[in-house]
Every structure is written in C-alpha cells, then in structure tokens.
Amino acid sequence: MALRMISLLLRVGLAGIFLYAGGLHAWDAPSFVQAIQAYDLLPPDATMLLGVYLPWVEIFAALGLLARRLYLGSLAAIGGMLLVFLGGLISAWSRGLDISCGCFRTAESIQTHFPWLVTRDLAMLAAVAVLWVMEAKRPLPTAATT
C-alpha cells in the first residue's frame, strides 16, 4: 500500500510540474522561444520548432503519467527531456551565460541558481527512475480464463 501511495505521489507531482511548465510555455510560445534562443545551442529554425512543439510534448507526457496511457513512453519522454534540460543548464553555466533557465517564467539566473536548478532536475530524474523500476516490478496481468 505504501508503494502505491509513493507511486501516486511521484506520478501526480511529476505530471503537475510538466503540465504547469508545458501550459506556461504553450500559452506564451514567443517568450519560450526567446528563452531557448538565449542558450545559443540551436539554429533559429530549430529553436522556433522546439519552442512551438516542446510544450505539447511536456503536456502530453504529463497526461500520459496521469492516465497511465503509454506510461513507460511518458516516463521515457520526461526522462529524456530532463536529461536535455540538464545538458542545457550545464552548457549555459559552463559558458558563463547569465540567462534565466526558462522553466517557469521566473528570473532564476543560471549563474546564480545553478546548484538549485541542477538539484531540482536531478530530483525529478530520480523520480522518473523510481517510477520506472516500480513499473518494471509490477506483476503482469494474467488473461482471464473463461
């Protein structure tokens, strides 16, 4: 029972974070595109596409966690996004870029808040790993005999 509660809390927590972030990004796509451009990692066309489509990937992956539809795919998508986000943070920090992370439309400067931002993403990545392991250990449903 405790494991089911932990799973539920992790799923709802991750889904809530990604629904919130995806909603903010989808609602104000031009600002999100500017935040991505500030990382100076991608050409303008790729930045534009990422700024328009990434919010919807965040939203649908979060909904997949809640509805348990394509659950492992949703976990994989969120885990992959978190790894990319961590790579972007580390890249910007190591190049001395004094930009906002762009996650939640706050003014969290990467240079000032780097330890917090990395810790936050690593904690979410750990939650993905825990949910993945819990799902792998879940017994498979058996076919009902009639």
Side-chain angles (χ1 to χ4, degrees), residues 2-40:
L3 288 178
R4 291 180 76 188
M5 185 58 70
I6 291 169
S7 173
L8 178 66
L9 290 173
L10 290 176
R11 282 189 313 120
V12 170
L14 273 175
I17 290 167
F18 275 80
L19 277 173
Y20 179 69
L24 286 176
H25 299 151
W27 185 261
D28 190 6
S31 292
F32 187 50
V33 169
Q34 287 177 338
I36 295 170
Q37 286 173 336
Y39 282 84
D40 197 26

Side-chain angles (χ1 to χ4, degrees), residues 32-71:
F32 187 50
V33 169
Q34 287 177 338
I36 295 170
Q37 286 173 336
Y39 282 84
D40 197 26
L41 291 171
L42 299 169
D45 289 343
T47 302
M48 183 67 71
L49 287 173
L50 192 63
V52 171
Y53 291 109
L54 182 60
W56 297 103
V57 174
E58 292 173 321
I59 291 167
F60 286 116
L63 292 173
L65 287 184
L66 292 175
R68 293 194 53 87
R69 290 284 189 197
L70 304 173
Y71 183 68

Side-chain angles (χ1 to χ4, degrees), residues 75-93:
L75 282 175
I78 288 174
M81 285 185 282
L82 287 167
L83 289 172
V84 170
F85 299 161
L86 277 165
L89 284 173
I90 292 167
S91 172
W93 177 77

Side-chain angles (χ1 to χ4, degrees), residues 21 24-25 39 89 100-106 108 117 120-121:
L24 286 176
H25 299 151
Y39 282 84
L89 284 173
S100 171
C101 79
C103 304
F104 302 107
R105 293 195 337 197
T106 60
E108 292 178 318
L117 296 170
R120 180 181 67 193
D121 284 358

